[in-house]
Amino acid sequence: MRALFSVLWLMLLAAPAYAGSFAGTSGGASSAGSSASSGSTSGDDKLVLEARDDAAMFVASDGAIRGVRLESALRHLRERDPGSRETSDLQLALAILAR
């Protein structure tokens, strides 16, 4: 329970900072987020949303636990947006959690 609280606290503190860093980029997680929030339920968005549990475990374990769904979502985001190729796995995992 304590670990879950720590993860949630970390998400609350870190998500706005990372979300703001994507706002000024062309494309990137901000465009992916806008398509997800516009009501789109494409397979691509579903793939990323299904990676949320893996992303939470990745963040909570400080990168030690890398789930298959997270790996797929990271690969997908980087293929779809060249700008995210320079973004760390942690930053992308936090962006997935912020969705």
Side-chain angles (χ1 to χ4, degrees), residues 2-24:
R2 188 175 196 177
L4 178 60
F5 178 74
S6 297
V7 170
L8 292 175
W9 183 250
L10 176 65
M11 288 173 30
L12 288 173
L13 291 176
Y18 287 112
S21 68
F22 287 118

Side-chain angles (χ1 to χ4, degrees), residues 50-65:
E50 287 178 347
R52 292 189 80 207
D53 287 342
D54 283 1
M57 290 298 293
F58 178 78
V59 171
S61 69
D62 199 26
I65 300 173

Side-chain angles (χ1 to χ4, degrees), residues 65-80:
I65 300 173
R66 301 178 69 93
V68 174
R69 288 184 177 168
L70 176 62
E71 291 293 334
S72 292
L74 294 175
R75 186 172 37 257
H76 169 74
L77 290 171
R78 288 188 171 117
E79 288 172 358
R80 189 167 73 178

Side-chain angles (χ1 to χ4, degrees), residues 31-96:
S31 66
S34 65
S35 66
S37 63
S38 67
S40 171
T41 56
S42 71
D44 293 345
D45 293 331
K46 185 177 179 184
L47 180 128
V48 174
L49 290 174
E50 287 178 347
R52 292 189 80 207
D53 287 342
D54 283 1
M57 290 298 293
F58 178 78
V59 171
S61 69
D62 199 26
I65 300 173
R66 301 178 69 93
V68 174
R69 288 184 177 168
L70 176 62
E71 291 293 334
S72 292
L74 294 175
R75 186 172 37 257
H76 169 74
L77 290 171
R78 288 188 171 117
E79 288 172 358
R80 189 167 73 178
D81 176 38
S84 67
R85 291 180 187 148
E86 297 174 14
T87 305
S88 74
D89 291 349
L90 179 61
Q91 288 173 319
L92 287 177
L94 287 169
I96 290 169

